[in-house]
Amino acid sequence: MASNNSGEGAETVEIAELNAIKSITNDEIIVEKAGADSSDEKREKARHHFSEPWEDSDVILVLENETFHVHRLIMSMNSPVFKAIFKSQFKEATANEIPLPEKNAKGVLDFLMKIYGPQYTKKEVKITMENVEQLMQLSDEYQVTEHIFKPCVEFLEDEPKTKENVMKIRALAEFYDLEKVCQDCDELLRGMTLGTLSETVQFENVEKDKLQHFLTQRIKVLEDYLEKLYPQFIGLLECCLWLWHENKRSLEWCPTHFSRGKVDYNLDKCIKVCNDCRKMLGRLASSTFPRIKGYYTDNTPYYNFQNTYGNAISNRHSFDKCLPDIIQRYSQLMAL
């Protein structure tokens, strides 16, 4: 019995060792673990397309304890900065290793994959919201303009702006002076309600001048909209009054400013100065409001919609007694 247990134990160890050294590949990173005793022999090493010498690579970029084996010629052809480094009188010109401090390994990997392209790496790296910031930072620093930076700009221009991504896109656009992208982001922001704008911009974390900019453009949009809406609203109200008169509906008209259902002056100006006009509009609103017909068993009222334009679905759109005050208040606000 003891012999069987020993054999099973040895088999278990072998299986564990095989599982431990198995590679997990996703075309970018390979992680290898080896050794049966995790405390003594386990090792973990990150690998990618550039992690080993390949195709006569002749220089190594070093960052975050990772190495990237690349070619001086290819880097020089794509980057004026690397070209200057390799032709300079400094030690980097002939060094086998060039440190890239404060760089992100994943960002550098995507950067190199874009420079080399699928003809060398067998994989196309697409620009996404996750990697565009790193790609722009590296392509701007190393002046890889046509091949990477401009496609990143086009990506930001074409990427649909949402409340989830608009602040990140705008920050990149502002940093790299991308006026069109900034304008597209601002167009979305100024169309948001104050609550949505607050969630998106996070007022408590944004700089004061930027907060003022966002709020100012939102106010400007609302004022522009109201300036266009108000004449339409007054015209619609005057049309309602005229139709009311043409249908011979009962209404106590203002004797000073109305004749045959038509106002003799600007209606909003009449409301400012004439108490009879304000009362007339209040009576018009009351006449369109449905009457309570009865109550349900839970004391909820149900209405009689006869002789009103509303129904049970659109009832919330009826005029009410606040109509004259709304017109007067709007005129005062827009005159300030």
Side-chain angles (χ1 to χ4, degrees), residues 287-300:
S287 298
T288 66
F289 199 81
R291 302 292 185 265
I292 295 177
K293 190 174 182 179
Y295 293 87
Y296 295 104
T297 55
D298 61 354
N299 290 326
T300 302

Side-chain angles (χ1 to χ4, degrees), residues 15 97 121 158 187 201:
I15 293 174
E97 294 186 356
T121 64
D158 297 338
E187 183 177 353
V201 175

Side-chain angles (χ1 to χ4, degrees), residues 88-216:
S88 70
Q89 301 300 316
F90 298 105
K91 62 180 182 179
E92 287 83 0
T94 57
N96 291 326
E97 294 186 356
I98 298 178
L100 299 181
E102 300 181 2
K103 297 293 187 293
N104 175 270
K106 181 62 170 66
V108 170
L109 177 60
D110 285 347
F111 177 68
L112 293 174
M113 296 283 283
K114 292 294 288 183
I115 285 180
Y116 277 80
Q119 66 270 31
Y120 291 107
T121 64
K122 309 302 181 186
K123 180 179 180 181
E124 177 68 31
V125 172
K126 295 183 178 180
I127 301 172
T128 66
M129 283 303 302
E130 286 69 37
N131 66 14
V132 66
E133 183 175 1
Q134 284 289 318
L135 287 175
M136 292 190 82
Q137 185 260 316
L138 291 167
S139 60
D140 180 57
E141 180 177 349
Y142 295 107
Q143 299 178 24
V144 189
T145 305
E146 296 295 329
H147 195 48
I148 299 181
F149 189 82
K150 285 188 176 180
C152 286
V153 173
E154 293 173 0
F155 169 81
L156 293 180
E157 290 176 346
D158 297 338
E159 180 71 5
K161 284 46 174 198
T162 67
K163 70 176 186 177
E164 288 77 21
N165 68 18
V166 67
M167 293 307 295
K168 179 177 180 179
I169 293 176
R170 195 185 186 284
L172 290 171
E174 187 175 24
F175 185 82
Y176 293 107
D177 197 24
L178 308 177
E179 184 176 353
K180 182 182 182 302
V181 179
C182 264
Q183 289 175 352
D184 291 344
C185 292
D186 284 351
E187 183 177 353
L188 174 66
L189 292 169
R190 62 174 168 258
M192 292 179 176
T193 64
L194 188 61
T196 303
L197 184 64
S198 176
E199 293 176 3
T200 304
V201 175
Q202 296 184 345
F203 289 164
E204 65 276 12
N205 298 325
V206 74
E207 297 175 7
K208 183 177 180 181
D209 58 335
K210 289 185 179 180
L211 177 59
Q212 182 177 353
H213 169 75
F214 295 139
L215 293 178
T216 299

Side-chain angles (χ1 to χ4, degrees), residues 8 19 26 29 36 47 64 67 70 72 94 111 113 159 217 224 226 237 267 277 282 300:
E8 290 177 1
N19 289 334
N26 66 359
I29 302 294
R47 292 187 180 180
E64 291 187 350
T67 57
V70 296
R72 294 174 187 270
T94 57
F111 177 68
M113 296 283 283
E159 180 71 5
Q217 68 175 7
D224 290 345
L226 286 174
L237 182 56
L267 181 58
C277 283
T300 302

Side-chain angles (χ1 to χ4, degrees), residues 302-320:
Y302 61 92
Y303 294 90
N304 178 9
F305 292 98
Q306 187 177 0
N307 297 324
T308 72
Y309 67 90
N311 55 45
I313 298 175
S314 64
N315 182 38
R316 67 188 182 90
H317 298 139
S318 61
F319 291 131
D320 60 33

